[in-house]
Amino acid sequence: MSRAASGRITRRRRMRFADRLLAESVRALEETQPDAAAQPAANLQAVEAADGSSFEARITARAAAHTSADRLRNALRHTQQGAMLTITVGVIVAALAGAGATRAALGLSADRVNIFWAIAGLLGIQTLLLLAWAVAALIGPRVLSTGSLGGLLVALWRRMGQRVCGGRGGCAGAEHQAALRATANVFGRGRIGAWTFSTISHALWTAFNLACLAVMLAMLSGRHYTFAWETTILPSRAYVSLTEVVATLPSAVGFPTPDREQIEGSEWPGATHTDGATQRAWAGLLVGSMVTYGLGPRVALLVISLGFRLRAMRRYRLDTSLPGYARLRPILAPSTETIGVIDEAGDESPHHTTGDSAPSAAARPIGPPAALGLEIERPESGWPLRVGSTALDDLGFVDDRDDRRRVLDDLRNAETEPAVLLIVCSLMTTPDRGIAGFVEQAGRTITRPVRVVLTGGERCRQRDADVAQRGGDWREALARVGVEEENIVELDLDHLTDTSERVLAELVGVVEVVGVASQPARRIEEAFDVIASHADAWRTEPGTSEQAELHRAIARLYQHEMAGWRDLLHVPSDLKKLSAGDVTKALRTSAERMTSLLPDRLKQSPKWLAAGAAAGALGCVAAATLAAPIAITALPAWAGMGAAIAGLWKLAPKSSASKDIDEPAGPPDLGGAVRAAALFAMLLELQGRGEATISRVLDRAVTQDDEQPIESASHVQPYLTELRHRFDMALASEVTS
Amino acid sequence: MNDSPLRIAVVGHTNTGKTSLLRTVMRDVSFGEVSDHPAVTRHVEGAAVVLGSDGGSGRRVEWYDTPGLEDSISLLDLLETMRAGRRVEGIDLIQRFLDKPESHDRFAQEAKALRQVLTSDVALYIIDARDRVLGKHRDELSILAYCARPIVPVLNFVAAEDARTKEWREQLSRAAMHAVAEFDTVAFDAASEQRLLEKMRTLLDSHGELLTELIEDRRDERARLIAATGNVIAELLVDAASHVRTAPTENRRERDAALDAFRKVVVEREQACIAALLELHRFRADDCDASALPIEDGRWGVDLFSPAAMRQFGIQATGGAAAGAMVGLTLDVMLAGLSLGTGTLIGAAAGAMLGVGRSHGRQMIKRARGMTEVHCDNATLALLAARQVTLAAALLRRGHASVTPMHLADAPAKQVITDSHGLVSHLDAARLFPGWSKLSGASGPGSPADPRRQSLVEELAEHITAIIRNAADQVGRLSHP
């Protein structure tokens, strides 16, 4: 804090201790009454009065303006009155104890008083306690506040406060409880607590000593005592020097004390000095000891404690990091401030036609379709774009000003006009006016409409972005520059499938299309029937080669769309030409592709992970051998492939019985084989739908827990029926959503 | 000393997080409008950080949110046409552009941003680090350079997997901008905020002192926030640990009702703690953003008293805690074979020696009357602590611009669990004083006014503060490998 700032604070009204105590009570109250903690009026008042004052000052100002402030002040007064009452009672009790102790020490019946017994009786315990206090004071306030007589009294008061208030209706209220808590917290802890306890302790002992002295003087005035000392085992010398030591302080203050001769003459029995002067000297020693060793230190410490207590109270600050205060900081001392809107949004429409409205190009002969990539990365399906066997005229990527100029010049100056101008944009990019402006400019160079492909949907989705919303933004931005809805297509060039290639072909107007033009018919029923019949035919648990044959049979059903699912599983074009190592690598790649298509939930399950890996690898083999009608086992490389595929089954957990035996990865069980084949069939049925959709449908169709076990061929058919039912449901929900 | 406020213009391409930056810097979830659309902000809006609101200098740092630059390529074309090959200083060119009708029409958005840059001391150029470096970005930087103001490029979304931080840094150093700051507005990191301010200080000599004050102010603010967070959680733990209810031992129905009531009170107390933490960290519970916290509808997804909650946090349930109705609770049942007389006597004697006579004696008497006492068990207390610490650490790492749900790992860091178990050992004292609990239905020796309670809260708060700091650092290391 700078010097200027601290100066500003001192000029303001001094915060008093009572203000802080009130703030503490408000905090205690709000802790138990969260509803009352809002206090908008008090907040406002505190902020208005603040004018650069400290956060603490604002808290106390708020407390003073709190709706419960008056009741809390009352409660605090009551609490403090209660405390004073307790202390007064304590003082009276202490005085009575002092009087009683003196009477006991001097005795009413006996005339002869053992001087050392009397002094020790009256001063012994309190001197010990005084030493204990001093030690505690040296150690720290924490010890001081719990171990002292004052601490005892405060604990008593707190309990009384609760009991008394609990009984009477008047002070049982939340305010009183809060005041009690605040008072106990402030006066019962830390430096204030320590010095409060000290003050009370010393006050009690002062009262004790005063009463002692008063009673002692009265008794010494009204009765005759003979002071003496006696011993059985100690030498008399010891008593003489002890007396002299004890007498040092009283005699220094001016009390009469016995001289050596008087001391020696007072040993009982056989005392020689029983005269009045000697007795007066002894009485002087007694009274003097009480004053100098008892009352004096206590009075001095009482004054010192009071002083330190006052100082601690002056230095007391609210702990503004307490939650009850910290929550107020943004309200009372906000470190931020709104400036508000300073340059309003105009009513200008966000789009304006670009300046250079060159006249639309004159009619030119129509050339091949052309494509350009606007602020995109090279798509994974390759660039320049191809549709079937037709390569589109490549205008390149447009990333900056020079690219834009070049492409616009090319478009204007070419001898032919592209049949279709395809602009590929990325859903990863936020559409802006610059992009829209360029699309418009490009559109003006030709007479035919511009068509836009929005790619990168999958990657956008991976970024947790809302792809639908982003697509909407693009359509909106493009609509402003006159690109019509039907000329915009979301199509992921990173993951081209049969379906999306068909759409692309339609978009660029290439009629010669790969595969079948219409949606292929469902074959999942057939595929599942194939699985069931194969499973029926297996006599023992199916080996890898039997499974490979099954996968090939399924793949044959989907032979027409093979290009699509080959891509999906990353099957190399000719497996037979690869080396053995590369074959294993290719199998592994397909296995990884298949497992990556599994929904997260199934990836957690070793059983399904293994089934997925096997389905991928077996699918790869199936794709590679689809043309050849020979048995898979007859392939020259089969031995290596079979082993590689068998290795993938290692992922599956072994049956519980053989858990501890480290058996080599044998052929999978029937259930595993059926699951893998079913996954493969569902994948082929779903191809062309986009990877996210595939995962989603698989997620809905496949249950992981509680499925019926597949232990014999008779279990296969019901399992597949159930699975197909769920698969249909999942597909249906995909269509409706 | 320069007494004028520091003015900072926040500029950048559209949808890179300019408003988000302001939200995060201001710790204000309601500043402006944030969404993943282009051109959401079409006006210039400001907010100021007032330094030393706690009786300090009162000096201001003003931040201005501007509309996104969208068509820098055409704008730079226009500027170059205006220049027409002559030698004109960039700033004059910008001035001339701002006088032209285009600045109110086609380039109104850009003009607003540029005007704000001209009236500011420094411009923060916000970059979505996931974007590719494109020509439009280079042109934006060229235009901003014409404004003759210091520019600090700020890379946003650096915590994202596909951030191209290196690519951007290279590009920026090619454009002679070396004081690049990384500041993720979603995955907040106090240290990178400090670094951002320090970068600004290196470019702004005239406001060096002010920025130093701001840097310190932010540091203090965070320390205070963490301390207060520790205190909130400590209060919860003491309340839960000391809370005791009695239930009849024999009457099963009544006993189960009492157990339910007990759980309800503790769960409500946890809710209150969550609400307090949200308020403290300035995330509003009724804000639509609150649903984006790891808790659903202002509460943790899994109920405190369920074995699933313990499993989620990897906490070992103790003893009978796993069994049905007893989840999370301990019952003090009568000691077998001890008659009323001996039980009470032993209890009283042991209690007298330990200084907790009343507590034990009372228990004995209640048992003898056929009542049992219900407490939270240690595992549940550890769970409570771990959940709140996890939440607090997550809040400390959450930018006020986050609109997407926060993804917490299934289980928090092992250290948090260990530390939470450690915390529970400090709560033994609280268990002896049911009166310390501020939960409804509490009664027994001790009172919330007991200074020893406050001392315990402070001691706990200190431990918790340390744990939160560690946990928040851990999250930080994870997101910034």
Side-chain angles (χ1 to χ4, degrees), chain B residues 133-134 137-138 141 165-177:
Chain B
V133 187
L134 292 168
H137 299 121
R138 284 192 288 269
L141 285 168
T165 313
K166 203 169 144 238
E167 202 177 310
W168 270 104
R169 279 186 175 276
E170 257 171 44
Q171 185 59 44
L172 289 166
S173 64
R174 237 182 269 165
M177 295 195 187

Side-chain angles (χ1 to χ4, degrees), chain A residues 123-135:
Chain A
L123 283 174
I125 289 180
Q126 58 166 314
T127 307
L128 280 180
L129 286 176
L130 186 65
L131 287 176
W133 175 87
V135 170

Side-chain angles (χ1 to χ4, degrees), chain A residues 60-79:
Chain A
T60 52
R62 174 181 180 273
H66 197 277
T67 45
S68 298
D70 285 334
R71 261 165 298 162
L72 280 172
R73 275 198 203 95
N74 259 332
L76 279 172
R77 209 168 36 243
H78 276 156
T79 311

Side-chain angles (χ1 to χ4, degrees), chain A residues 31 55 162 189 335-337 339-340 342-344 352 375-377 399 401 430 432-433 469-470 473, chain B residues 13 15 36-37 43-44 46 48 50 54 60 70 77 105 110 112 132 135-136 164 438 447 458:
Chain A
E31 257 175 22
F55 177 42
Q162 268 178 338
R189 292 164 9 95
S335 61
T336 59
E337 213 172 79
I339 298 174
I342 58 165
D343 195 348
E344 291 267 4
H352 299 273
E375 297 185 1
I376 60 164
E377 278 179 276
D399 279 352
R401 215 141 49 107
T430 311
D432 57 44
R433 285 196 342 269
Q469 174 188 311
R470 181 58 64 78
D473 288 341
Chain B
H13 195 76
N15 199 21
D36 187 14
H37 286 290
H43 53 241
V44 177
V50 184
D54 189 354
R60 295 154 64 89
E70 286 200 43
D77 263 341
D105 180 21
E110 282 79 3
K112 281 198 175 76
R132 289 168 63 219
K136 60 188 179 191
R164 303 158 184 260
K438 287 184 200 143
S447 88
E458 275 169 24

Side-chain angles (χ1 to χ4, degrees), chain A residues 597-608:
Chain A
L597 287 168
L598 290 179
D600 287 342
R601 183 173 60 82
L602 293 186
K603 281 182 197 153
Q604 310 288 331
S605 152
K607 187 170 75 181
W608 281 101

Side-chain angles (χ1 to χ4, degrees), chain B residues 393-455:
Chain B
L395 288 176
L396 281 171
R397 302 285 318 185
R398 186 172 169 78
H400 286 72
S402 311
V403 286
T404 48
M406 170 146 61
H407 293 298
L408 283 182
D410 283 341
K414 260 212 170 67
Q415 196 54 45
V416 171
I417 304 295
T418 321
D419 292 341
S420 302
H421 278 296
L423 276 179
V424 172
S425 63
H426 293 276
L427 288 168
D428 288 346
R431 290 185 175 283
L432 296 174
F433 297 100
W436 284 8
S437 179
K438 287 184 200 143
L439 299 180
S440 59
S443 67
S447 88
D450 193 332
R452 279 172 299 179
R453 179 187 189 279
Q454 193 57 36
S455 302

